[in-house]
Amino acid sequence: MNEKTYYSLRLLGSNAFHSKDDVLKTTNQVLNIGETADCEIRFEQGQYEPERYATIVENEDGKSWRLIQRSEYVKAQIAGSGDFGYVHQLKDGDVISFDGQDMELEFHIHHDSNYGALGVVIEQKTNLKLLYFVIGIVAMIAVAFAFFRSGDISYDKIKEYDSSVYLLQVDSVQWIAVAHGDTTLVRPTLNTQGTGAVGTAFLTTDNKLVTARHCIEYWIGEDIDEMPKTRAPDDVRTWAVLAETYMYNKDPENDSIQMLRVYFSVCKSNDREHPVFSFSSTDPCVHINRDHDGFLEFGDYDNVYVWRTVHPTPDAAERELGDIVYIDVDKKGAIALADSATISSLTQSSAVAVLGFPRNLKEIKCKFSSGRIAEDRSDTTGVNPNIQFDANITHGFSGGPLFIRKGNTYFAAGVVSKIDTENGIYKKAVPVTEIDNMISREKERKGGNQ
């Protein structure tokens, strides 16, 4: 059997959902630690509202892991090191504890062939019969999983669409003021080529270039609750806060506006010096989905600032749909968009695939990943607005097409939006049907005239 790199967590304390000395073994599964019932490790009682205390996430090398702090109230600690800021790179032998909680977890990294299952395996030293039962169940799940994955979309099926998938890069950002038709710079242009956002875009059969909004307005996906403390006034988050605060508080009769204008280019990975397309975010052909945006006020009584956000809340989950842009172009691509009926019929058994440009590659190259839908969308009641899936992707795939199969034909069902490590291992994509919704709303604003 091939050697496998995985980690284990041994419970050293007794006040936990599992018994003392139980061992949890896992590889690439995100593992949440806290009180909620869906966590593999949780406390039976807690002092606070149910929440995740910390999350263990695999690093990009596939052979190491990091611990991410989740709670503002219960701090994670590493024996011998104490508290850490937000992220701790786990080392073999680390003992993880939580402030005020009777629980310790001993972390170990293994390099052997003893771990061949999928997901999280609970090894209960105190009950061998249960251990054998768990191993049997896991083996059955592994066999079923292998059969289940046999219908995955292969690269050979969609490689013909490579030619319609592009690298997108932000070249520069301007903070502008527009009054009476005249445009002036509030701050000097910030050049970002080589250091700014890099993502993916794809060309459709109906002459639209589609991408994720945060690939262009690359600050929009961030969460912010205080004025950014920067060395100089040339940080785009500071610009975005100040421009949005001006617009939020300005007199409606004042026709002066402020905004951030982004210049970006779209190219093939082997020729970044000669873009196929170049745009600014204020071009009439660039349609940015701002209809779902929320506004967060922060600061103090004397200085109130406003931050525009696409982060969802329980009462505004549709904000996530704002992470999409389409651009009218004079070039036709090979990727067809799925209709609403096809997207609504997706189930957890539906295969998906993604094409995109991961940032962690030494060479910039379009890569492929396959997976499955992580939710049933046949009943939209209570369903997250975005499509959840489990393909193995990293940053840079954002803006790329999420392919599904209908018969022998492949369609883009979504635009890759984000990796949701806070709520599990899911990745999310904005349904492409949001493009039709954007077009309808634009027509309504124009009184039905194009």
Side-chain angles (χ1 to χ4, degrees):
M1 185 178 292
N2 293 330
E3 184 176 279
K4 185 75 173 179
T5 299
Y6 63 96
Y7 72 83
S8 67
L9 285 175
R10 181 182 297 279
L11 301 174
L12 302 180
S14 59
N15 185 26
F17 179 65
H18 300 294
S19 301
K20 182 180 179 181
D21 292 330
D22 282 357
V23 177
L24 286 85
K25 296 180 179 179
T26 186
T27 52
N28 61 350
Q29 300 295 308
V30 170
L31 183 65
N32 291 305
I33 305 171
E35 293 179 346
T36 52
D38 60 341
C39 293
E40 283 296 339
I41 305 175
R42 73 172 189 265
F43 302 109
E44 293 178 348
Q45 295 180 353
Q47 302 173 3
Y48 307 100
E49 293 296 323
E51 61 179 86
R52 294 175 175 88
Y53 294 155
T55 300
I56 295 178
V57 180
E58 183 186 31
N59 291 325
E60 293 177 350
D61 61 10
K63 297 181 179 179
S64 61
W65 293 263
R66 61 191 184 274
L67 182 70
I68 301 175
Q69 176 74 48
R70 292 297 185 196
S71 172
E72 297 180 3
Y73 308 103
V74 181
K75 299 297 183 183
Q77 299 167 331
I78 306 297
S81 302
D83 295 345
F84 59 91
Y86 175 65
V87 178
H88 172 78
Q89 297 298 327
L90 288 164
K91 303 183 295 298
D92 186 69
D94 275 350
V95 175
I96 307 165
S97 61
F98 297 89
D99 185 30
Q101 303 293 332
D102 181 20
M103 178 176 172
E104 289 183 322
L105 304 169
E106 189 177 59
F107 177 89
H108 286 288
I109 297 176
H110 306 271
H111 308 281
D112 55 49
S113 59
N114 295 332
Y115 183 85
L118 298 167
V120 177
V121 178
I122 305 169
E123 180 182 336
Q124 297 182 298
K125 294 293 187 181
T126 56
N127 190 334
L128 292 179
K129 290 183 179 180
L130 183 57
L131 171 61
Y132 297 147
F133 175 77
V134 170
I135 292 174
I137 293 297
V138 169
M140 293 173 61
I141 292 174
V143 173
F145 187 80
F147 175 78
F148 172 74
R149 301 297 292 198
S150 62
D152 280 356
I153 299 174
S154 67
Y155 174 68
D156 287 340
K157 299 293 186 182
I158 62 170
K159 64 181 180 181
E160 63 184 277
Y161 301 116
D162 265 1
S163 61
S164 294
V165 179
Y166 298 87
L167 176 73
L168 184 149
Q169 63 182 20
V170 172
D171 302 315
S172 61
V173 182
Q174 295 178 336
W175 178 4
I176 62 173
V178 182
H180 310 295
D182 295 325
T183 300
T184 58
L185 291 179
V186 179
R187 292 285 191 273
T189 299
L190 179 64
N191 292 317
T192 60
Q193 189 171 18
T195 60
V198 175
T200 304
F202 62 96
L203 194 58
T204 72
T205 55
D206 58 350
N207 302 85
K208 288 182 175 59
L209 189 69
V210 181
T211 188
R213 176 178 169 188
H214 77 265
C215 292
I216 299 171
E217 296 181 341
Y218 56 91
W219 58 89
I220 196 68
E222 298 181 18
D223 201 3
I224 189 170
D225 57 8
E226 63 179 12
M227 189 64 182
K229 296 178 176 62
T230 58
R231 296 171 298 169
D234 59 355
D235 180 272
V236 291
R237 293 180 304 163
T238 303
W239 289 7
V241 167
L242 295 177
E244 204 60 60
T245 300
Y246 171 84
M247 292 298 296
Y248 199 73
N249 295 313
K250 82 180 189 72
D251 185 344
E253 300 299 323
N254 182 357
D255 63 356
S256 176
I257 62 174
Q258 292 189 15
M259 69 178 73
L260 268 61
R261 177 165 60 189
V262 182
Y263 289 92
F264 60 99
S265 55
V266 179
C267 54
K268 298 308 292 183
S269 58
N270 58 354
D271 192 5
R272 299 178 69 180
E273 299 300 321
H274 301 89
V276 180
F277 304 101
S278 294
F279 306 98
S280 82
S281 58
T282 56
D283 288 343
C285 63
V286 178
H287 305 268
I288 300 176
N289 192 11
R290 297 191 175 100
D291 293 315
H292 302 293
D293 290 358
F295 297 90
L296 174 67
E297 294 186 16
F298 61 96
D300 53 37
Y301 182 80
D302 297 321
N303 297 285
V304 178
Y305 298 102
V306 176
W307 179 251
R308 182 186 286 263
T309 179
V310 294
H311 277 239
T313 59
D315 60 341
E318 72 281 354
R319 284 182 185 171
E320 291 185 312
L321 296 175
D323 193 21
I324 187 172
V325 173
Y326 78 88
I327 306 166
D328 296 315
V329 295
D330 58 0
K331 186 177 178 68
K332 186 175 182 178
I335 300 175
L337 302 182
D339 57 28
S340 59
T342 301
I343 294 175
S344 296
S345 67
L346 295 175
T347 68
Q348 288 183 321
S349 63
S350 300
V352 299
V354 180
L355 291 174
F357 292 89
R359 293 186 198 175
N360 60 332
L361 290 181
K362 293 183 180 179
E363 60 174 343
I364 299 174
K365 185 177 180 181
C366 186
K367 300 293 287 185
F368 164 86
S369 182
S370 64
R372 295 276 169 169
I373 293 294
E375 62 179 350
D376 190 336
R377 299 186 65 84
S378 58
D379 178 7
T380 58
T381 304
V383 171
N384 189 289
N386 278 359
I387 302 172
Q388 298 187 67
F389 62 100
D390 67 358
N392 184 20
I393 62 173
T394 61
H395 296 290
F397 275 96
S398 292
L402 177 71
F403 288 100
I404 62 171
R405 177 177 58 224
K406 184 179 181 182
N408 294 321
T409 306
Y410 296 87
F411 299 90
V415 182
V416 176
S417 175
K418 69 177 185 178
I419 301 174
D420 189 354
T421 57
E422 181 176 353
N423 297 308
I425 61 173
Y426 299 131
K427 289 79 176 180
K428 295 185 177 181
V430 179
V432 295
T433 48
E434 185 61 20
I435 294 175
D436 287 337
N437 295 334
M438 291 171 64
I439 294 173
S440 296
R441 291 192 294 266
E442 289 169 1
K443 286 183 178 179
E444 290 177 3
R445 283 192 287 268
K446 295 177 181 179
N449 296 318
Q450 281 282 46

